[in-house]
Amino acid sequence: DEMSTKGQEDVPASSAAQMSAFAALVETPIDDVEIIGTLGYGDNGVVFLANWHGQKLSLKQFDVGKDGYEYYDKEVEAYLTLEAAW
């Protein structure tokens, strides 16, 4: 299976669960986000401290070119699992 996301090339999705995980995310225009600083660097991207509508949050920029979308898929699944526990 493959799915498309706005502004990106086809994103491979290996299961229906992954497709529903993507559907649960809300797309936010980057112009609505103010990057305040850098929190850290990881194997798959950079984490920034950001301001979104007056709320401070962390923003992760993935380096999808490095390892493809595999790590992004896993990160989304982990987020949705944690969100369900909140």
Side-chain angles (χ1 to χ4, degrees):
D1 287 342
E2 290 198 0
M3 62 179 273
S4 294
T5 57
K6 185 177 178 183
Q8 296 180 352
E9 296 180 20
D10 288 337
V11 178
S14 60
S15 70
Q18 284 180 325
M19 291 180 75
S20 65
F22 285 109
L25 297 177
V26 177
E27 186 174 325
T28 300
I30 194 65
D31 292 339
D32 290 352
V33 180
E34 173 192 6
I35 295 176
I36 299 169
T38 304
L39 294 174
Y41 299 89
D43 290 339
N44 299 303
V46 182
V47 179
F48 299 99
L49 175 62
N51 182 10
W52 178 65
H53 297 286
Q55 180 179 0
K56 287 189 179 174
L57 50 86
S58 60
L59 172 71
K60 186 166 189 177
Q61 177 184 8
F62 282 89
D63 181 7
V64 293
K66 181 179 176 186
D67 294 312
Y69 289 92
E70 177 183 348
Y71 291 103
Y72 176 77
D73 293 344
K74 289 179 182 179
E75 189 101 7
V76 170
E77 288 177 27
Y79 167 78
L80 293 173
T81 300
L82 290 172
E83 182 184 43
W86 294 327

